[in-house]
Amino acid sequence: MASTSTFSVFGADIKIKGDISATDDLHIDGSVEGDIDCGTLVQGEKSRISGTITAESARLAGTIEGAITAKTLVVLKSAKITGDVFYDTLTIEQGACVEGKFAQRPQGSAKKSDGEPVLSLAN
């Protein structure tokens, strides 16, 4: 049976004021002023998000002002994050800028066998 998963793309010329909720995947190249709750978030380098991000997985490359909670989080070197980061698995490229604290997500919010967060530094 074919996958029914969808992928929504907000182009560089899109500016959104308000919260976004999606059960599937989002790719954001524009700007968002509001909270984002989705399955997978991919953020472009020129993108700006002002609000809280909650996602199963997120790959961030632009500017974020707000807290981030993700099971799997990849922060690329072009990212500039101001806010606290909560994760299960975290990868940060050398050169990424984060002003805030990093913390494992609260117990019970993730299904981890060993209970320890996974942190890796990308080259």
Side-chain angles (χ1 to χ4, degrees):
M1 191 171 249
S3 173
T4 59
S5 176
T6 59
F7 198 83
S8 299
V9 178
F10 297 103
D13 62 332
I14 304 290
K15 295 181 181 178
I16 298 171
K17 288 187 180 182
D19 297 341
I20 299 172
S21 179
T23 55
D24 291 322
D25 305 341
L26 294 177
H27 183 115
I28 298 176
D29 286 323
S31 67
V32 176
E33 289 182 33
D35 297 340
I36 299 173
D37 186 352
C38 64
T40 299
L41 174 64
V42 176
Q43 181 195 30
E45 285 187 30
K46 304 290 184 188
S47 174
R48 173 178 289 276
I49 298 170
S50 296
T52 300
I53 296 172
T54 305
E56 280 295 308
S57 70
R59 183 173 182 88
L60 307 176
T63 301
I64 299 101
E65 295 176 3
I68 301 163
T69 302
K71 183 174 181 180
T72 303
L73 179 61
V74 176
V75 181
L76 301 177
K77 63 184 175 185
S78 58
K80 293 175 180 58
I81 299 171
T82 304
D84 295 339
V85 179
F86 303 94
Y87 61 90
D88 287 351
T89 303
L90 175 65
T91 302
I92 304 174
E93 276 190 340
Q94 187 172 353
C97 177
V98 179
E99 294 182 24
K101 70 177 180 178
F102 288 96
Q104 179 184 8
R105 293 192 323 166
Q107 292 292 5
S109 68
K111 305 262 191 279
K112 298 282 295 167
S113 59
D114 57 10
E116 292 295 320
V118 178
L119 174 64
S120 61
L121 182 61
N123 293 326

